[in-house]
Amino acid sequence: MPTKKKPQVTPSPERRRELLATAAEVFAAQGYNATTVRKIADAAGMLAGSLYYHFDSKESMIDEILSTFLTELWDGYDAVLAAGLGPRETIEALVTESFREIDRHRAAVAIYQKESRHLATQPRFQYLADSQQKFEKAWLGTLERGVADKTFRADLDIRLTYRFVRDTVWVAASWYRPGGQHSPEEIARQYLSMVLDGIALDT
Amino acid sequence: MPTKKKPQVTPSPERRRELLATAAEVFAAQGYNATTVRKIADAAGMLAGSLYYHFDSKESMIDEILSTFLTELWDGYDAVLAAGLGPRETIEALVTESFREIDRHRAAVAIYQKESRHLATQPRFQYLADSQQKFEKAWLGTLERGVADKTFRADLDIRLTYRFVRDTVWVAASWYRPGGQHSPEEIARQYLSMVLDGIALDT
DNA sequence: ATCCTTCCCTAACAAGTGTTTGGTAGGTTA
DNA sequence: TAACCTACCAAACACTTGTTAGGGAAGGAT
């Protein structure tokens, strides 16, 4: 006899995705800890206990939300990094890709922003710390390449620059609304224009 | 007979400030909702109930933390805005002042960043919404003045620029550590250099 | 007609939550 | 010495939290 056996239930993956989407909206709006499973159930039109037919814990919901987001994010990033572009073009592509991800996974990005630092300490969410490190390597490396080949200025602290750029991109998730005035590509264009060339008029 | 009378206790203001400082650290590290009054009490070396000798609720703690921070912030901002500087100098002064505030109130700024959007909906925290509006008026107005007198570029969406600048300044509270390599003024200088002149080398 | 699967409900649980009440040790004042 | 004040503790409260167990309705397959 096997030591343990999960009850033989097979929830449909589509329903899971629906529920995860509404859960992500509530998490993003209220914060993970302030969100009770009853609020999620309310938003989904069911009772709290019924959620446990689809998921085995509240934690596994945010886990699945964040991990699927990061998986898709790195699909895009890896493609950009493998393209062999120059430093400036790489930065442009990464920023554009980032705003596209915000467009597609607004809620997940907002959750990531608020909770990742806190969650990354738990072993279950080790992949958050891993991802953050990979992230830093990709961006910092590109900036360094750019300084080396004189695409970027050499007089700025590159670590500070990295943090500023990174933060500015991702905080956008807190105010961005899909279907608004600006497309992700337009936002990326404006943002890149500011960071690369500055907002001051040359005198 | 008056309808209600608070019990006649007079906690010392200095002790209050001490406790608020430790509470702010815990709030900033764990998030407001994830922080229990027992954790705060632990960090302060006392029991949960004892906190209620000094404060009448957990909510009033974060209230006092945020409101005193905002009061001091606006002292600095108002002084800058009243100085009658040009657009570029005003932006520089506001950014520098902001990083000084982050240096002084790191925990409060981190809390403000994470919880203000959520809290501002409650009547008790109306002043958060008020402050945010005043904030927008000050920054956006300065940027508009700069566009009008050709200090800043006219081809950028000014609202987007405002959001980028605002967010990047305040998110710094999440990674800034007082006593680190860079002084607030140095961070402000580098940040301004990036935003005003861009990171690309002129070709 | 019977069985099985999917999906949700009802009802409860144990642990943890913010908060209150009454008490008390130690210092200051009368 | 007595009265008082400050600052805390001990113990409980009412409530909310995530989670579980058992049941049942609907529909397709046999």
Side-chain angles (χ1 to χ4, degrees):
Chain A
M1 190 197 302
T3 49
K4 265 193 184 178
K5 201 160 199 173
K6 288 262 170 168
Q8 176 56 25
V9 289
T10 39
S12 93
E14 301 135 43
R15 186 62 175 135
R16 278 177 70 93
R17 271 192 292 274
E18 279 180 36
L19 292 173
L20 278 180
T22 71
E25 291 300 328
V26 187
F27 283 149
Q30 324 234 1
Y32 174 70
N33 281 285
T35 299
T36 72
V37 293
R38 276 164 249 265
K39 282 185 194 167
I40 302 176
D42 274 4
M46 52 200 271
L47 292 186
S50 309
L51 286 172
Y52 288 81
Y53 171 71
H54 300 275
F55 309 97
D56 37 270
S57 71
K58 177 188 173 188
E59 201 181 62
S60 79
M61 296 189 209
I62 198 179
D63 191 347
E64 196 164 333
I65 290 170
L66 291 178
S67 60
T68 64
F69 156 63
L70 281 181
T71 302
E72 294 195 27
L73 174 70
W74 280 108
D75 283 353
Y77 269 29
D78 285 334
V80 168
L81 294 172
L85 302 170
R88 178 170 177 135
E89 289 74 22
T90 301
I91 291 288
E92 288 175 346
L94 286 179
V95 168
T96 306
E97 176 64 23
S98 299
F99 282 111
R100 289 211 186 98
E101 295 295 336
I102 291 177
D103 185 50
R104 251 173 270 161
H105 298 97
R106 188 186 96 270
V109 176
I111 298 169
Y112 180 82
Q113 256 253 234
K114 269 192 209 158
E115 319 284 351
S116 78
R117 190 179 308 260
H118 171 242
L119 289 175
T121 61
Q122 299 175 236
R124 171 170 195 168
F125 295 93
Q126 174 68 38
Y127 65 90
L128 289 177
D130 296 346
S131 174
Q132 202 235 353
Q133 199 149 2
K134 220 179 141 192
F135 203 85
E136 175 169 343
K137 191 174 283 182
W139 282 82
L140 211 53
T142 306
L143 287 175
E144 278 165 354
R145 266 202 303 146
V147 170
D149 77 354
K150 299 198 192 308
T151 305
F152 301 138
R153 293 165 52 187
D155 62 324
L156 292 178
D157 183 305
I158 208 169
R159 252 201 150 60
L160 273 182
T161 306
Y162 158 65
R163 284 177 185 154
F164 283 137
V165 173
R166 173 200 62 186
D167 292 343
T168 317
V169 169
W170 292 115
V171 204
S174 63
W175 51 259
Y176 180 74
R177 292 293 170 268
Q181 287 199 323
H182 304 282
S183 67
E185 289 79 9
E186 171 64 14
I187 295 182
R189 213 185 52 75
Q190 296 245 359
Y191 170 73
L192 285 165
S193 180
M194 180 183 92
V195 167
L196 292 171
D197 302 326
I199 67 172
L201 263 180
D202 307 321
T203 47
Chain B
M1 190 198 303
T3 50
K4 266 191 183 179
K5 202 159 199 173
K6 289 266 170 168
Q8 176 58 24
V9 287
T10 39
S12 94
E14 302 135 44
R15 186 60 174 137
R16 278 178 69 94
R17 271 193 291 275
E18 278 181 36
L19 292 173
L20 278 179
T22 71
E25 291 300 328
V26 186
F27 283 149
Q30 324 233 2
Y32 175 69
N33 280 286
T35 300
T36 72
V37 293
R38 275 163 248 267
K39 282 186 195 166
I40 301 176
D42 274 4
M46 52 200 272
L47 292 186
S50 308
L51 286 172
Y52 288 80
Y53 171 73
H54 300 276
F55 310 98
D56 37 89
S57 70
K58 178 187 172 188
E59 204 181 60
S60 79
M61 294 188 209
I62 197 178
D63 191 348
E64 194 162 335
I65 291 170
L66 291 178
S67 61
T68 64
F69 156 62
L70 281 181
T71 302
E72 294 197 27
L73 174 69
W74 279 107
D75 283 353
Y77 269 29
D78 286 334
V80 168
L81 294 170
L85 302 171
R88 177 169 178 137
E89 288 75 21
T90 302
I91 292 286
E92 289 175 346
L94 286 178
V95 167
T96 305
E97 177 63 24
S98 299
F99 283 112
R100 287 210 187 98
E101 294 296 335
I102 291 177
D103 185 49
R104 251 173 270 160
H105 298 95
R106 189 186 94 271
V109 175
I111 298 169
Y112 180 82
Q113 256 253 226
K114 269 191 209 157
E115 319 284 352
S116 77
R117 191 178 308 260
H118 171 242
L119 289 175
T121 62
Q122 299 174 236
R124 170 169 196 169
F125 295 93
Q126 174 68 40
Y127 65 89
L128 290 177
D130 296 345
S131 174
Q132 202 234 354
Q133 199 149 2
K134 219 179 142 193
F135 203 85
E136 175 169 342
K137 190 174 282 183
W139 282 82
L140 211 54
T142 307
L143 288 174
E144 277 164 356
R145 266 203 302 145
V147 170
D149 78 352
K150 299 200 190 306
T151 306
F152 300 138
R153 292 165 53 187
D155 62 323
L156 293 178
D157 183 315
I158 207 170
R159 245 194 157 65
L160 272 182
T161 306
Y162 158 64
R163 285 178 183 152
F164 284 138
V165 174
R166 172 200 61 187
D167 292 343
T168 318
V169 167
W170 292 115
V171 181
S174 63
W175 50 258
Y176 180 73
R177 291 292 169 270
Q181 287 200 323
H182 304 282
S183 68
E185 289 79 9
E186 171 64 14
I187 294 182
R189 215 184 51 75
Q190 297 244 0
Y191 173 71
L192 285 165
S193 181
M194 179 183 93
V195 167
L196 293 172
D197 301 326
I199 67 173
L201 262 181
D202 307 321
T203 47

